[in-house]
Amino acid sequence: YFSFCLSQFLGIFNDHFFRIALATYIMLGATNLSGSTKYFFASFLIAIFMLPSLLFSATAGEIADKYRKDVVIRIVKLAQLLLAFIGIAGFLVHSVTILLIVLFASGTLSAIVAPAKYSAIPELLEHEQLVAGNTIVQVGTYISMLLGNICGILVYSINTGWLFLIYLTIAVIGLIAALFIPELKTNTQKIEISKNIFKTTIKNMQIGRAHV
């Protein structure tokens, strides 16, 4: 369970670390942008990161139901490592476009892994351990968000070289931690993943509304 919690903690840290570093870069380092454009992009970074959760969460739930959750987590961690390389390249070539794409992709991976993460907990723990296990994940989530936000500003302000090193190292450690997550059970039910993300999202919203 420690490897599971560590991989999730580091993933959330890196998401917020990158987002805040990007906001700092736009405001202080993007000399090719006008003042009004800087404020526009900086204001909408959180929306760009959160939009995939609205678009893909329902489909991500289907993926978590269809495939082994530990495999889904490992694939996401590998993708996050690849994104770290692209994000670093975006900073080096001073491309706001690349960095915004990386931010959206990071939000997408976060949306994909969320259902797998939370539905894996009952498979990793005994029933009497679930309350404590969920508490650890939630507390770890808030701490990693807070640390990511603080470190993103501080490290970018001090040394961008350290920014790249920390961003990449955290992604590597997160992937290694995910490799030690125990093998979880395979769903024996036949589940089809809808190709229409909007239809799936609307369907789940209707189900949720019916149970309010």
Side-chain angles (χ1 to χ4, degrees):
Y1 194 67
F2 172 77
S3 58
F4 168 80
C5 291
L6 180 61
S7 69
Q8 301 313 306
F9 181 93
L10 295 177
I12 295 169
F13 173 91
N14 245 10
D15 285 340
H16 290 269
F17 181 74
F18 174 78
R19 181 175 62 82
I20 294 301
L22 174 55
T24 308
Y25 165 74
I26 288 175
M27 296 305 298
L28 302 179
T31 56
N32 58 324
L33 297 178
S34 65
S36 58
T37 305
K38 288 182 179 182
Y39 283 112
F40 173 80
F41 279 126
S43 299
F44 279 91
L45 289 183
I46 186 64
I48 294 172
F49 180 76
M50 294 301 298
L51 180 60
S53 295
L54 176 63
L55 295 177
F56 307 124
S57 288
T59 302
E62 294 177 338
I63 293 173
D65 287 339
K66 183 176 179 67
Y67 301 105
R68 269 177 38 201
K69 298 169 184 62
D70 57 304
V71 174
V72 174
I73 293 172
R74 291 186 186 109
I75 292 174
V76 167
K77 291 300 167 185
L78 177 59
Q80 287 176 336
L81 176 58
L82 297 177
L83 270 184
F85 283 106
I86 300 173
I88 291 172
F91 279 115
L92 291 175
V93 301
H94 304 287
S95 174
V96 175
T97 301
I98 292 176
L99 293 171
L100 292 177
I101 292 173
V102 170
L103 181 64
F104 182 84
S106 297
T108 301
L109 292 176
S110 179
I112 291 173
V113 80
K117 173 177 68 176
Y118 287 108
S119 58
I121 295 175
E123 297 183 35
L124 290 167
L125 299 176
E126 299 296 333
H127 179 73
E128 60 272 13
Q129 298 173 318
L130 287 179
V131 174
N134 278 298
T135 300
I136 291 172
V137 170
Q138 286 299 108
V139 171
T141 296
Y142 291 123
I143 293 175
S144 60
M145 290 169 61
L146 178 62
L147 290 178
N149 289 336
I150 295 173
C151 293
I153 297 174
L154 291 178
V155 176
Y156 181 88
S157 302
I158 296 171
N159 190 315
T160 54
W162 281 104
L163 173 78
F164 303 152
L165 180 61
I166 293 172
Y167 186 36
L168 189 59
T169 301
I170 293 295
V172 171
I173 297 174
L175 174 59
I176 294 173
L179 296 177
F180 289 92
I181 296 175
E183 181 177 322
L184 302 178
K185 64 182 180 180
T186 303
N187 196 331
T188 56
Q189 296 179 343
K190 187 176 180 180
I191 298 174
E192 295 294 331
I193 298 176
S194 175
K195 296 179 181 179
N196 188 332
I197 61 173
F198 300 105
K199 181 179 179 181
T200 305
T201 301
I202 293 172
K203 178 182 177 182
N204 282 9
M205 290 176 66
Q206 290 173 338
I207 293 174
R209 186 173 62 180
H211 288 81
V212 172

